[in-house]
Amino acid sequence: MLKMEEKSLKRKISHSQTSSKRFRDSGVESEIFCETPSCFSSAGTIKSINVKNFMCHKYAELVLSSGINFITGRNGTGKSAILSALVVGLGGRASDTNRGYSLKEFIKTDETSALIRIVINNKGFNAFQPEKYGNEITVQRTLSSSAGSQYKILSANGNVVSTKHDELQRLLLALNLQVDNPVAILTQDTARNFLHNTKAEDKYLFFLKATRLEHIESIYRRVLESYKNKKKEFAKRLKNLRSVEDTRDRLEVAQNELYWAHVSM
């Protein structure tokens, strides 16, 4: 009985095939475990993050697995910078990172621009336009100290498919990537404020953000505002049509009077 259990346990271990990779940059170390037979099996998983002149990193590349990833290192070595690069690179605002109020602040000191490249898996049933993008999508964002920021969304073969922020938003929505959701990405400052803040109102606002109810409410508001604007537009058109109709009626009356005037002469 014991030998059978040992054989069963060995089979389980051999099937899991746990793999490990490491990454180092500026004192930051990453330990990556992948316990699935095939990594990157679901669309929307982050495959790699590449940064240049971003915050404290001159250059760094982090290759991730679809399992659990740990990034460890001493204070000030750039662990949070990787998370900030993920948020900013996927269209987040500077304020979403709690690390600054302007994108210019993320450019490394004495540099004029920074680059973030994020490779996203696009395999699986929920892949985003696979016929256009292929098995992976690269989102590239360039930050400039003088020209703001620019996007490039590239297909698996390296072709630039779009440079528009709207396309990035559709991509994030389709792959369910929520860079502004505190449950998906919880920064140190947000966690600290949540734990130490005892106001029920603030916790409720956190709940709204975490459940996306705040986002849904904003969508409803935009839809309602759009409906009101359309209603005003149609009311104006109806008024113009009625005015044309009244003018046509007056014109018909005037023409009849003109005909009778010729008869009476």
Side-chain angles (χ1 to χ4, degrees):
M1 182 69 178
L2 181 59
K3 289 183 179 179
M4 290 178 64
E5 289 179 354
E6 287 178 353
K7 288 181 180 179
S8 175
L9 180 60
K10 287 179 180 178
R11 280 198 298 270
K12 289 179 180 178
I13 292 173
S14 64
H15 283 312
S16 72
Q17 294 296 320
T18 301
S19 63
S20 172
K21 302 175 188 175
R22 302 184 83 86
F23 155 81
R24 294 175 184 273
D25 175 75
S26 304
V28 179
E29 184 173 336
S30 170
E31 184 76 17
I32 303 169
F33 297 94
C34 177
E35 296 185 353
T36 57
S38 177
C39 293
F40 313 119
S41 59
S42 177
T45 53
I46 307 299
K47 296 183 71 173
S48 67
I49 305 170
N50 183 300
V51 297
K52 183 179 179 182
N53 296 331
F54 185 83
M55 296 183 72
C56 63
H57 294 289
K58 179 69 176 175
Y59 176 83
E61 182 177 17
L62 181 62
V63 179
L64 303 175
S65 80
S66 60
I68 300 173
N69 299 272
F70 296 91
I71 300 176
T72 61
R74 297 184 303 276
N75 289 341
T77 53
K79 302 184 300 297
S80 297
I82 298 298
L83 188 61
S84 297
L86 181 62
V87 175
V88 174
L90 293 179
R93 298 166 300 182
S95 57
D96 292 331
T97 66
N98 290 324
R99 293 281 168 175
Y101 298 96
S102 171
L103 292 175
K104 296 177 183 179
E105 298 177 38
F106 293 98
I107 301 174
K108 196 174 188 298
T109 305
D110 297 330
E111 300 291 344
T112 58
S113 65
L115 178 70
I116 307 167
R117 285 175 61 93
I118 299 170
V119 180
I120 306 170
N121 175 49
N122 197 41
K123 296 179 183 177
F125 71 95
N126 61 331
F128 179 70
Q129 300 181 6
E131 68 286 348
K132 188 195 305 187
Y133 285 99
N135 291 332
E136 67 179 36
I137 301 172
T138 300
V139 178
Q140 178 176 302
R141 190 175 189 183
T142 304
L143 311 180
S144 172
S145 57
S146 59
S149 69
Q150 294 178 333
Y151 292 99
K152 282 185 181 179
I153 307 176
L154 300 90
S155 63
N157 57 16
N159 292 333
V160 178
V161 177
S162 177
T163 58
K164 297 184 180 300
H165 183 259
D166 289 345
E167 177 73 359
L168 175 60
Q169 291 302 307
R170 284 191 289 271
L171 163 67
L172 298 179
L173 182 62
L175 297 179
N176 196 27
L177 292 169
Q178 305 172 16
V179 296
D180 59 344
N181 189 329
V183 171
I185 298 179
L186 183 61
T187 62
Q188 294 178 3
D189 293 334
T190 303
R192 190 182 302 111
N193 291 337
F194 177 76
L195 292 172
H196 293 289
N197 202 327
T198 57
K199 291 183 180 179
E201 295 85 355
D202 293 333
K203 291 187 182 295
Y204 177 67
L205 291 175
F206 184 91
F207 168 78
L208 290 180
K209 271 194 169 184
T211 56
R212 303 291 285 175
L213 289 175
E214 183 183 52
H215 178 67
I216 293 171
E217 183 184 7
S218 69
I219 292 175
Y220 278 130
R221 284 179 179 173
R222 289 199 299 270
V223 170
L224 182 60
E225 189 65 30
S226 176
Y227 170 77
K228 288 179 178 178
N229 292 336
K230 288 288 185 183
K231 185 179 177 181
K232 288 180 181 178
E233 182 183 341
F234 286 133
K236 186 178 180 180
R237 287 185 184 179
L238 180 60
K239 185 178 179 181
N240 291 337
L241 287 173
R242 284 175 177 170
S243 176
V244 170
E245 215 173 277
D246 292 341
T247 303
R248 188 183 295 115
D249 290 342
R250 289 197 298 270
L251 178 60
E252 187 176 347
V253 170
Q255 284 177 338
N256 290 336
E257 289 178 353
L258 178 61
Y259 295 148
W260 280 110
H262 284 301
V263 172
S264 62
M265 285 177 63

